[in-house]
Amino acid sequence: MSSSPRDTRTLILEAARRLFERPGADPVRLVDVAREAGISRQAVYLHFDSRARLLLALVRYVDDVHTLETQVGTAVAGHGGAEALRRFIRVWGGYVRHIDGIAYAMHHLAHTDAEAAAAWNERMQTFRKLCRGFATALEEDEQLAVGWTVDSAADLLWSMLSIRTWRELVHERRWSKARYVEHMTRAVERTFVRPPRKDPS
Amino acid sequence: MSSSPRDTRTLILEAARRLFERPGADPVRLVDVAREAGISRQAVYLHFDSRARLLLALVRYVDDVHTLETQVGTAVAGHGGAEALRRFIRVWGGYVRHIDGIAYAMHHLAHTDAEAAAAWNERMQTFRKLCRGFATALEEDEQLAVGWTVDSAADLLWSMLSIRTWRELVHERRWSKARYVEHMTRAVERTFVRPPRKDPS
DNA sequence: GCCGTCACTTGACACTGCGTCAAGTGACGG
DNA sequence: CCGTCACTTGACGCAGTGTCAAGTGACGGC
């Protein structure tokens, strides 16, 4: 699927996607993207105002191609706090590799570029809301472990499940996807999920 | 203390330290360091070959000024696995702010500079060894929770206690130091420390 | 007192990657 | 046949790092 992009914009996004998905690749420059797409560097600017805008469009495009929302939605739907969280980690653990390179580039650019910083922050906000949803669900099911408020749990969950944590473990520490899912699930459960009592009521 | 550095090298390191310790500051350029030290940009190159070397020297200098090793050593000495870990998190939670900015700059530079990448990796290796020490201590005291090997626990601990996680929580999520220590201690304990059995043996 | 040394200065330049600009070129449609 | 429009080539400006060359001035040895 998606082997014959119709317009140049999509051609560029596809090219960029290929480059950024290569793990541990050298920094991707606009000239690389252009070459990969078979066009001139300047032609990229006919479709994207700046590197930041391209990265932003790219991460949305990739989310779309890999149907992130649908995957998360169907995995989580109809499950209580703890089980939804477990299922999310499974999906997420397989998904991050698609956007890791782009996220890295965006974060790097955000260091010096205001627009990239804004895009990055918006992205982080969205992810934190997702995490807050899990914390809320846990609390509503009375499964949130003692010591946490919804917000503090959301913050730490957001950090533990962040792309950066995934990258550190999977790329730097060479964890497999299965290993990531198994260990992260265990860590998150032990940290945030109240152990079921033997004697209910 | 340290108000009258003798040589220019120390003068530069002190100036850089001041700049990098300012939280959320704009990216620190060599010209900023030079100005802060009251010398020309070129004079910096008389003492440090490159930005990467300066950052590396700086992080060592800061560790030294704040006696990181001593602090960790005295906090941890003579305590078993779980208690040593708790004490380490307390020290670490107060220490990271001194090196956060430098670490951020090093990591950023590592994206394009091989020397910075090497320095960063070496630093990460060292920290992971420290974490592995805690995992080993837990295992030796039979306090390591089920599901972990020493190495997998070390990896995840390394990630949870990383500067990056600290920065996300303290800077982006506005956690206080006390909040960081409290919540991180809880998360780490629940994740890695085997709960004491009511009926031993 | 004079001289050499050495740390530092000023000012220039190369390099990289991003972003802009101007002058083409060539295919396609009315 | 002509205009339009997407794209090309080639140039330039900008920022920050790193290099180079030609000073300058203080300090110590003789």
Side-chain angles (χ1 to χ4, degrees):
Chain A
M1 51 185 135
S2 80
S3 63
S4 61
R6 286 175 302 291
D7 57 320
T8 308
R9 192 187 151 90
T10 311
L11 199 78
I12 295 170
L13 289 171
E14 273 299 322
R17 186 161 83 87
R18 282 196 297 277
L19 291 179
F20 277 107
E21 202 153 320
R22 299 217 243 276
D26 291 324
V28 177
R29 299 159 302 171
L30 288 194
V31 66
D32 300 322
V33 173
R35 183 154 37 219
E36 176 76 17
I39 60 172
S40 68
R41 183 176 72 92
Q42 282 62 27
V44 175
Y45 285 100
L46 297 175
H47 299 276
F48 302 95
D49 291 350
S50 64
R51 183 178 166 82
R53 290 277 176 90
L54 170 59
L55 289 176
L56 182 55
L58 183 55
V59 76
R60 285 179 179 151
Y61 176 75
V62 171
D63 281 352
D64 209 48
V65 167
H66 291 285
T67 64
L68 173 62
E69 287 197 23
T70 312
Q71 279 191 63
V72 172
T74 60
V76 164
H79 294 280
E83 182 59 19
L85 192 45
R86 268 190 291 272
R87 283 160 175 266
F88 171 71
I89 293 174
R90 195 146 57 232
V91 170
W92 185 240
Y95 182 76
V96 176
R97 68 190 175 87
H98 298 305
I99 47 166
D100 172 53
I102 308 165
Y104 194 66
M106 263 178 78
H107 187 211
H108 186 264
L109 187 58
H111 196 221
T112 52
D113 181 291
E115 195 167 350
W120 175 262
N121 284 336
E122 188 258 328
R123 192 92 191 156
M124 288 299 96
Q125 279 297 97
T126 304
F127 186 63
R128 189 184 172 275
K129 272 183 198 140
L130 190 61
C131 291
R132 200 173 187 284
F134 291 119
T136 307
L138 282 177
E139 167 147 270
E140 282 172 358
D141 297 354
E142 295 187 350
Q143 289 184 300
L144 188 62
V146 292
W148 304 109
T149 62
V150 168
D151 272 306
S152 60
D155 285 343
L156 190 58
L157 195 55
W158 165 80
S159 179
M160 287 175 74
L161 295 180
S162 75
I163 296 176
R164 258 111 96 226
T165 303
W166 181 93
R167 176 165 48 239
E168 285 175 357
L169 294 171
V170 171
H171 281 170
E172 297 186 37
R173 300 310 312 159
R174 306 268 152 181
W175 284 21
S176 68
K177 183 209 152 185
R179 194 179 179 82
Y180 172 87
V181 170
E182 178 198 334
H183 290 332
M184 189 55 77
T185 302
R186 183 187 306 121
V188 164
E189 273 188 356
R190 294 223 180 115
T191 301
F192 299 110
V193 180
R194 174 181 308 201
R197 283 173 291 181
K198 301 224 167 133
D199 170 18
S201 117
Chain B
M1 51 185 136
S2 78
S3 61
S4 61
R6 287 175 302 289
D7 58 322
T8 309
R9 192 188 151 90
T10 312
L11 199 75
I12 295 169
L13 289 172
E14 272 299 322
R17 185 163 83 87
R18 283 195 296 278
L19 291 179
F20 277 106
E21 201 152 323
R22 299 216 243 277
D26 291 324
V28 178
R29 298 159 302 172
L30 289 194
V31 65
D32 300 323
V33 174
R35 182 156 37 220
E36 177 76 16
I39 61 172
S40 67
R41 182 176 73 91
Q42 282 63 24
V44 175
Y45 285 99
L46 297 175
H47 299 275
F48 302 95
D49 290 349
S50 64
R51 183 178 166 81
R53 291 277 176 88
L54 171 58
L55 289 176
L56 182 56
L58 183 54
V59 77
R60 285 179 179 153
Y61 176 74
V62 170
D63 282 352
D64 210 47
V65 166
H66 292 285
T67 64
L68 173 61
E69 286 197 23
T70 312
Q71 278 192 63
V72 172
T74 61
V76 164
H79 295 280
E83 181 59 20
L85 192 45
R86 269 190 291 272
R87 283 160 176 265
F88 170 72
I89 293 174
R90 193 145 60 233
V91 170
W92 185 240
Y95 182 76
V96 178
R97 68 189 176 86
H98 298 306
I99 47 165
D100 172 53
I102 308 165
Y104 194 67
M106 263 178 78
H107 188 208
H108 186 265
L109 188 58
H111 195 222
T112 53
D113 182 291
E115 195 166 350
W120 174 261
N121 284 336
E122 187 258 329
R123 192 91 191 158
M124 288 299 96
Q125 279 298 97
T126 304
F127 186 63
R128 188 183 172 276
K129 273 185 198 137
L130 190 61
C131 290
R132 200 174 188 284
F134 291 120
T136 306
L138 282 177
E139 166 146 271
E140 281 172 359
D141 297 355
E142 296 187 346
Q143 290 184 300
L144 189 61
V146 291
W148 303 109
T149 62
V150 168
D151 273 306
S152 60
D155 285 341
L156 190 58
L157 195 55
W158 165 80
S159 179
M160 287 176 74
L161 296 181
S162 73
I163 296 176
R164 189 216 96 229
T165 303
W166 181 95
R167 177 165 49 238
E168 285 176 357
L169 294 172
V170 171
H171 282 170
E172 296 185 37
R173 301 308 313 158
R174 306 264 150 184
W175 283 21
S176 69
K177 183 209 151 183
R179 194 180 179 81
Y180 171 88
V181 170
E182 178 198 334
H183 290 333
M184 190 54 78
T185 303
R186 184 187 305 121
V188 165
E189 274 188 355
R190 294 222 179 117
T191 300
F192 299 109
V193 181
R194 175 182 306 202
R197 282 174 289 181
K198 303 224 168 137
D199 169 17
S201 120

